[in-house]
């Protein structure tokens, strides 16, 4: 009786270790990457479609960032509500059609947002918007 073994099959190449390495690299690069400063991103683009719209568009925009601890930051400078009101009053004197955008953190206290809105209203800001970029449960 003659017994023959089947020829050995080639080794199977598993993709699981490669996928594990790729996921580890993805997490590493996400954690170590830097984020852009949001003041660099233009939030409002003036429209050039018509002269009536272009004249009514706000010519100046200030972004007020509100941190999770309630700190108010304008163009990289931390300001308290009184200093923020003075800054907005000075900027409104130069540009009456100025628009103020408030960008609160999802964890910012509501009272800090109300304080910033009160400071803007006291300064005489007519164009005020609150932007929501992140949601916290």
């Amino acid at each position: 009786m003659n017994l023959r073994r089947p020829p050995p099959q080639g080794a199977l190449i598993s993709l699981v270790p490669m996928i594990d390495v790729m996921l580890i690299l993805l997490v590493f690069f996400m954690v170590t990457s830097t984020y852009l400063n949001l003041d660099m991103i233009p939030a409002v683009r003036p429209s050039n479609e018509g002269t009536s719209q272009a004249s009514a568009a706000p010519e100046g925009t200030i972004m007020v960032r509100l941190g999770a601890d309630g700190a108010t930051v304008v163009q990289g400078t931390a300001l308290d509500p009184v200093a923020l009101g003075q800054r907005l009053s000075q900027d409104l004197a130069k540009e009456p059609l100025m628009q103020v955008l408030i960008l609160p953190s999802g964890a910012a206290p509501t009272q800090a947002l109300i304080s910033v809105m009160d400071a803007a209203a006291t300064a005489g800001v007519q164009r005020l918007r609150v932007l929501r970029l992140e949601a916290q449960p």
Side-chain angles (χ1 to χ4, degrees), residues 2-3 15 25 46 48 53 60 63 72 76 96 112 117 119 132:
N2 210 357
L3 295 176
L15 293 178
L25 286 174
N48 295 330
Q53 290 180 352
M63 182 175 286
T72 305
M117 292 173 68
R132 174 97 184 192

Side-chain angles (χ1 to χ4, degrees), residues 14-45:
S14 177
L15 293 178
V16 174
M18 184 186 73
I19 293 172
D20 291 343
V21 169
M22 294 303 291
L23 286 175
I24 290 171
L25 286 174
L26 175 68
V27 170
F28 173 76
F29 286 122
M30 286 175 52
V31 170
T32 60
S33 66
T34 58
Y35 297 101
L36 292 176
N37 185 359
L38 290 179
D39 293 331
M40 296 173 20
I41 301 171
V44 177
R45 293 183 184 170

Side-chain angles (χ1 to χ4, degrees), residues 108-132:
T110 306
Q111 183 58 47
L113 176 62
I114 299 299
S115 298
V116 170
M117 292 173 68
D118 283 343
T122 304
V125 174
Q126 296 293 322
R127 298 173 184 245
L128 178 70
R129 291 187 181 185
V130 177
L131 303 176
R132 174 97 184 192

